[in-house]
Amino acid sequence: MDDIHTPTVPSGPASTHASQNRNSAGGTSLQDLIAEKTRAEEELKALSSVLDSHWVNMNTSLTTFDGYPRDDIDVAQIRTTRARIIRLRNDYKNLMSRIEAGLHAHHAEARNHPAPQSGSASSQVPTAAAGSLEAPFAKVNSVVAGSPAEEAGLRSGDKIRRFGDVDWINHEKLSKVAETVQRNEGVSQSAVTSAENFSADIAGWVGTEEHYCQNPAKPASFVKYRGIAFAVNATERLGWPQPVGVPSSPVMMFMSVDHYPAEDEKLRASSIIRRRGGNCPNTLEVLQQLLESQHSSNSPINLVLCAVLPSRLSPGYQELKSSFAESTDLSFCIHREASNEPASSYIIRSKAVDSRTIINYNGLPEMSSVEFASVADHLPGMSWCHFEGRIPDVTLSCIQHLRQTHGNVKISVEVEKPGREGLQDLASVADVVFYSKSWAQVRSISDFPSFGRADFIKGNGYGSPKECLQAQAKLASKASLLLCTWGESGVSGLDVPEDRFLECPAFKAEDHKVVDTVGAGDTFIAGMLFGLMCHDDWTLDRKLKFANELAGHKVMQEGLGGLGNLMHHAF
């Protein structure tokens, strides 16, 4: 008798023989492979909804306790759906391998054949048929009737993938479009759109009648000139600033006990709290609260999380997804479809000595630099990228990729864990660096090879935040701002170009009582990023004070909820 849990259709490749021939390694462009990946993800999501409608997942039993088929669900539909999911997962793994190989080839070709500089009307524009990775960077807002643009076939709503030699990598908030217009007054230029997928000559475009550069402070910013207006629509992620967080995203379980248990001791917890954790996810959550609390259209910022997560069909992913606001974009996360459990942290709080013991588990394969590159290359509007310093060698490769392909993106790095090799290398390539007290006091022996192991264990590090920041200013050569949290002593910063040291004592309200310090550092980072990205009108002193107060409110409560509303007075 067949096992009722066995899929109705044997698992195996879902593609037909014809599609396999059509999508052979030599005949499919990288863009087509990515489109196929998107279709597979959409179908997996739809199939997941089918299982959700029956309140089952891939592992739910389809029989009763005594072995009979359940009569409260459609067993046949569930088995067929599971079979399709298994087949799609196999295809998905194959697609990811082909995309990875394609990305390597794409970047190798880009290095060997750099894009030609504009300056003549004969500049050739590659079309979509060339298989290049060209994401849209602007949208046509309006086309003047009878203009050369209309005659060439452009229509309102078309998305621009290339204009002359300007594309999503180098448009620099559309300023390069205006420069191209000025350099080629009265001369035909080519534009490639993603709506009609054609290359058209636009004759006689000049910048003399109407010409505006994009204004990031306005939600309807555009570059407009005779015949056409390129407009950026924040809801479509075409050019607006997109801070990206690159983290782990664990589920955290807090257990409070009277004292830390001895080996083999049985102990009852007085409370259990379960919530989503992760440094970058925490930072994004608080940053989103601040953006919403400010209620201002002057900061049209889309928050994007890029993390390794379990299968979309897993309960663990659904739990993580529900913990984020809808305005935080999770579509660029990398899913391990063969895994069902997210990374987890178990935190034991001892009331006797007020200590925290943390046990981490992560069975998910870590993100590779190639996977990150594939995400970054589809975020043309990215303005800021914040990294946890978790896997320094991979993170360093990711930052180097951003420096090569997203020249204007600002990069911040969190240097937190003492003894983790390679964090100093990350600090040396970031624009903004956040140092923790624990790292500053105990640095990695690999960063300072002249230290002996005994010195390292004793913690021969920096004795104060000022000492740390002044010394790091000589090592973090690219950074313009260095910041260091120092627990109850407050926070400090160093404006590197001005060589100006700032410090702010820990914020304490009248009814100050420390309740929960988990996530305080992440909250401070959120406050600083908010000031740096949204408030050029604030002095650095004000930004530091704002972030410090925000972190002070955090330690007075459990979790991160409602922190944005507590800062209304500071906006």
Side-chain angles (χ1 to χ4, degrees):
M1 184 175 184
D2 291 338
D3 184 352
I4 194 172
H5 300 286
T6 303
T8 305
V9 182
S11 62
S15 306
T16 64
H17 180 70
S19 65
Q20 287 175 342
N21 290 336
R22 183 177 65 252
N23 295 330
S24 62
T28 304
S29 70
L30 185 54
Q31 195 168 14
D32 288 339
L33 288 174
I34 293 173
E36 189 173 342
K37 169 180 170 288
T38 301
R39 288 192 295 270
E41 291 171 343
E42 290 173 350
E43 186 174 353
L44 280 169
K45 183 178 180 180
L47 292 170
S48 175
S49 299
V50 173
L51 296 184
D52 289 344
S53 67
H54 292 284
W55 296 92
V56 301
N57 57 37
M58 294 294 288
N59 300 314
T60 304
S61 175
L62 304 183
T63 60
T64 62
F65 71 94
D66 50 356
Y68 289 96
R70 290 172 53 179
D71 60 2
D72 60 327
I73 55 177
D74 188 337
V75 174
Q77 184 183 38
I78 293 171
R79 293 177 66 197
T80 302
T81 302
R82 285 177 171 178
R84 179 60 180 163
I85 288 172
I86 293 171
R87 296 168 64 190
L88 275 176
R89 284 179 174 179
N90 291 337
D91 280 1
Y92 189 84
K93 291 178 182 178
N94 177 262
L95 271 174
M96 292 304 297
S97 298
R98 297 170 66 189
I99 289 172
E100 181 176 353
L103 281 169
H104 281 301
H106 171 75
H107 291 298
E109 183 178 357
R111 288 192 296 268
N112 295 332
H113 301 88
Q117 297 295 318
S118 175
S120 67
S122 60
S123 299
Q124 296 297 313
V125 181
T127 64
S132 59
L133 264 178
E134 294 184 10
F137 66 92
K139 187 177 78 171
V140 178
N141 190 48
S142 62
V143 180
V144 176
S147 67
E150 184 185 52
E151 293 173 2
L154 284 179
R155 296 292 180 266
S156 177
D158 283 358
K159 296 176 183 178
I160 303 301
R161 299 172 61 232
R162 182 176 287 270
F163 175 64
D165 66 341
V166 180
D167 58 21
W168 59 270
I169 294 177
N170 62 11
H171 67 84
E172 296 183 9
K173 296 185 178 180
L174 301 186
S175 63
K176 293 298 183 181
V177 174
E179 292 179 10
T180 300
V181 171
Q182 291 174 329
R183 287 198 307 265
N184 296 281
E185 292 191 6
V187 179
S188 297
Q189 281 294 300
S190 295
V192 178
T193 75
S194 59
E196 299 296 336
N197 201 24
F198 72 101
S199 176
D201 286 331
I202 311 300
W205 287 10
V206 296
T208 54
E209 292 187 11
E210 295 178 285
H211 180 208
Y212 306 91
C213 286
Q214 183 188 28
N215 180 358
K218 295 182 179 180
S221 304
F222 56 86
V223 173
K224 186 174 182 180
Y225 44 94
R226 181 182 175 188
I228 189 170
F230 290 80
V232 174
N233 184 335
T235 61
E236 297 189 47
R237 301 196 303 269
L238 302 180
W240 281 117
Q242 295 184 71
V244 178
V246 185
S248 64
S249 187
V251 172
M252 304 180 73
M253 182 79 75
F254 296 82
M255 292 177 285
S256 296
V257 295
D258 291 332
H259 61 274
Y260 188 78
E263 189 172 354
D264 288 335
E265 180 181 2
K266 184 177 181 180
L267 193 62
R268 183 182 296 273
S270 58
S271 67
I272 294 179
I273 299 174
R274 181 182 176 93
R275 68 172 184 249
R276 193 257 308 121
N279 294 18
C280 274
N282 288 343
T283 295
L284 287 182
E285 179 179 344
V286 177
L287 184 54
Q288 185 63 55
Q289 292 180 31
L290 295 173
L291 294 172
E292 293 173 353
S293 297
Q294 183 174 237
H295 295 300
S296 172
S297 61
N298 291 335
S299 302
I301 292 179
N302 299 321
L303 301 181
V304 178
L305 179 68
C306 176
V308 174
L309 300 177
S311 167
R312 292 174 179 82
L313 303 176
S314 66
Y317 168 65
Q318 297 302 324
E319 179 182 3
L320 289 170
K321 182 179 179 182
S322 64
S323 69
F324 289 100
E326 292 185 0
S327 50
T328 299
D329 190 347
L330 304 182
S331 64
F332 291 92
C333 288
I334 297 169
H335 291 267
R336 303 305 186 199
E337 297 297 342
S339 301
N340 291 317
E341 293 297 326
S344 303
S345 293
Y346 300 87
I347 302 174
I348 302 175
R349 290 172 170 169
S350 169
K351 296 179 181 179
V353 294
D354 194 27
S355 67
R356 298 180 306 169
T357 302
I358 303 175
I359 303 172
N360 293 320
Y361 168 77
N362 186 9
L364 298 173
E366 297 287 359
M367 183 188 307
S368 68
S369 57
V370 172
E371 288 176 317
F372 174 81
S374 69
V375 171
D377 290 349
H378 284 78
L379 284 169
M382 179 166 48
S383 66
W384 198 292
C385 193
H386 178 69
F387 290 89
E388 289 180 21
R390 293 188 60 252
I391 311 176
D393 56 340
V394 174
T395 302
L396 183 61
S397 297
C398 294
I399 294 175
Q400 291 170 341
H401 175 81
L402 288 179
R403 294 298 187 202
Q404 294 171 0
T405 59
H406 296 67
N408 295 323
V409 67
K410 293 290 184 182
I411 295 173
S412 55
V413 170
E414 181 181 13
V415 175
E416 180 189 21
K417 299 297 183 184
R420 180 172 288 172
E421 297 183 6
L423 291 181
Q424 188 67 63
D425 293 332
L426 298 185
S428 68
V429 295
D431 299 294
V432 178
V433 186
F434 296 90
Y435 299 97
S436 71
K437 178 182 179 180
S438 59
W439 182 87
Q441 291 182 320
V442 183
R443 297 169 292 176
S444 170
I445 191 171
S446 65
D447 292 330
F448 302 92
S450 60
F451 284 6
R453 174 61 60 178
D455 293 328
F456 172 67
I457 294 174
K458 291 177 182 177
N460 275 349
Y462 302 118
S464 69
K466 186 173 185 178
E467 180 187 354
C468 170
L469 297 181
Q470 289 179 337
Q472 284 295 306
K474 301 175 182 178
L475 301 173
S477 57
K478 188 173 179 60
S480 59
L481 178 61
L482 304 177
L483 299 146
C484 184
T485 56
W486 209 263
E488 294 182 353
S489 298
V491 297
S492 301
L494 182 65
D495 183 343
V496 178
E498 300 293 332
D499 192 25
R500 185 166 68 96
F501 178 75
L502 306 89
E503 57 184 343
C504 191
F507 173 81
K508 294 183 179 180
E510 293 182 2
D511 56 344
H512 181 80
K513 180 181 178 181
V514 176
V515 176
D516 175 24
T517 60
V518 175
D522 308 329
T523 302
F524 171 76
I525 292 174
M528 283 304 305
L529 293 181
F530 176 74
L532 293 169
M533 291 188 294
C534 303
H535 283 286
D536 290 336
D537 54 324
W538 290 3
T539 64
L540 183 56
D541 300 74
R542 181 177 177 183
K543 294 170 185 176
L544 188 67
K545 182 179 179 181
F546 176 88
N548 180 59
E549 180 179 343
L550 182 67
H553 286 300
K554 161 64 200 87
V555 301
M556 296 172 61
Q557 67 174 52
E558 284 280 1
L560 306 173
L563 290 174
N565 294 331
L566 297 176
M567 302 301 293
H568 277 301
H569 66 280
F571 295 146

